[in-house]
Amino acid sequence: MSSRVETFTTTAPAKIILFGEHAVVYGKPALAVPVTSVSVTVTVTPDTVTRLEALTTSAHLLPDNLNLDEITDPLLQMIVKTAQFFGEALPACRFSIASTIPVASGLGSGAAVSAALGRATAKALGRTISDPDLNALVYDIERIHHGTPSGVDNTVIVYQKPVFFVRGSPPQPFEVKKPARFLIADTGRTALTRESVGDVRKLYEANQAKIQPILDEIGTIVDLARQALSTGAIITLGHLMWSNHRCLQKLTVSSPELDNLVHAALEADALGAKLSGGGRGGNMIALVTPDKEDAVAEALKRAGAHNIIATTLEAS
Ligand code: PMV
């Protein structure tokens, strides 16, 4: 074991996908942004053994259980993989995870925990990990959670910047002419992204001729949304959100709760609204103007939103 660590913390934000979820798995682009008002914090403190404490996990990492084949817990895997990346033994310390990001609701909670743990492990070893290296490690862990993730979640969370993302390519920044304000509303229903992604895969395999045009349409919507953001065409952006939501409905990943919140937001004069992330539950997002923000938030609460987070995509 290496020398005693000093107490420190690392953090990682949540994320929302503005446009392009699901189609991104099939090589189409997506636009995603970090959400910093909720986050994961990992606190590292000196201890007598290497230990991880999270809500669902409390485990010792002993030198003889550092074999990745024997560790099934993704959080422990992240710590061990990061230490192995540097080829160094883990120091004796306690990793404690605290998170304000709702789980299984499309906000990237799993990727954020992995990112904060990876940074914490590197720092405990007296090293810094680059964003591309951390991103690759977090992606490996995402594969345990999701099966075949596109990589959009880990990328936006690790880089902590708005990204135009295409699977397999380095993330690109995108231009934002005017700030855009979003409300993120939680249906209160958790849903597994792995399942909705698996169901879309089944639909695709059963009827590619029907599903491919929907994926293509989402790809076009993402390109138009990128243009709208770069020219400040906020009204167009709102219409594109609704078009994207319609496509996601056709892919069967919306739900009555999500549709209900989307309609409530639009009726209260949100400029646009759509589900965000894997769907079937989790969160939806609404684009609002300052004068309508409170009314839309009220309408969302009345329609059953469990929690509402506001976030601004700042001009670049
Ligand atoms: O549910 P989330 O926030 O993990 O988002 C998943 C996004 C999908 O496009 C549905 C899947 C993926 O791997 O990109």
Side-chain angles (χ1 to χ4, degrees):
M1 295 278 166
S2 22
S3 60
R4 191 179 154 85
V5 299
E6 300 291 333
T7 298
F8 65 86
T9 62
T10 57
T11 61
K15 71 96 210 354
I16 44 170
I17 297 177
L18 297 182
F19 291 92
E21 50 275 271
H22 285 286
V24 70
V25 174
Y26 298 80
K28 301 294 172 189
L31 289 170
V33 297
V35 175
T36 51
S37 49
V38 282
S39 58
V40 170
T41 303
V42 171
T43 304
V44 178
T45 44
D47 207 332
T48 47
V49 291
T50 309
R51 204 191 295 271
L52 172 72
E53 280 181 358
L55 227 48
T56 52
T57 310
S58 182
H60 287 195
L61 277 164
L62 301 170
D64 58 2
N65 69 7
L66 293 186
N67 181 352
L68 273 175
D69 294 336
E70 285 165 19
I71 300 176
T72 49
D73 183 275
L75 307 182
L76 295 176
Q77 286 222 2
M78 186 65 207
I79 295 175
V80 173
K81 261 177 178 286
T82 310
Q84 290 183 347
F85 172 81
F86 289 110
E88 290 181 20
L90 280 164
C93 61
R94 177 187 303 238
F95 294 84
S96 308
I97 301 171
S99 176
T100 51
I101 307 177
V103 296
S105 58
L107 293 178
S109 142
V113 173
S114 297
L117 273 177
R119 284 202 187 99
T121 309
K123 194 162 174 188
L125 293 167
R127 309 289 287 262
T128 353
I129 188 157
S130 71
D131 286 346
D133 288 339
L134 180 61
N135 200 26
L137 291 175
V138 177
Y139 180 73
D140 282 350
I141 301 298
E142 286 287 282
R143 287 176 53 200
I144 306 174
H145 289 295
H146 293 311
T148 54
S150 65
V152 63
D153 279 22
N154 47 285
T155 300
V156 68
I157 282 168
V158 167
Y159 286 83
Q160 302 185 67
K161 287 191 187 115
V163 291
F164 176 84
F165 176 87
V166 178
R167 188 172 192 164
S169 305
Q172 295 173 42
F174 61 87
E175 202 190 328
V176 180
K177 179 110 186 251
K178 284 190 197 153
R181 181 85 167 160
F182 294 94
L183 295 179
I184 307 166
D186 196 341
T187 57
R189 210 176 122 168
T190 55
L192 292 177
T193 298
R194 178 194 277 274
E195 281 174 17
S196 63
V197 168
D199 288 349
V200 173
R201 174 66 61 190
K202 278 185 213 143
L203 278 184
Y204 181 79
E205 275 161 12
N207 196 345
Q208 200 176 333
K210 186 173 154 208
I211 300 303
Q212 188 61 51
I214 304 172
L215 302 175
D216 293 343
E217 190 182 342
I218 295 178
T220 305
I221 289 170
V222 177
D223 287 333
L224 293 172
R226 184 184 192 177
Q227 256 176 47
L229 281 162
S230 73
T231 56
I234 210 88
I235 307 277
T236 305
L237 194 69
H239 291 154
L240 291 167
M241 288 171 75
W242 171 242
S243 306
N244 196 161
H245 186 73
R246 296 278 303 141
C247 291
L248 291 164
Q249 285 176 323
K250 289 184 203 155
L251 293 179
T252 74
V253 296
S254 193
S255 68
E257 294 89 348
L258 282 165
D259 288 344
N260 186 31
L261 292 183
V262 165
H263 287 128
L266 293 175
E267 269 168 30
D269 286 340
L271 296 178
K274 63 181 274 294
L275 73 82
S276 179
R280 299 268 169 83
N283 281 277
M284 55 74 70
I285 53 175
L287 174 66
V288 291
T289 49
D291 58 323
K292 292 285 166 37
E293 177 171 339
D294 289 349
V296 174
E298 272 311 310
L300 286 168
K301 273 187 217 148
R302 275 198 309 276
H306 280 228
N307 186 35
I308 298 175
I309 300 167
T311 190
T312 303
L313 172 58
E314 299 293 352
S316 43

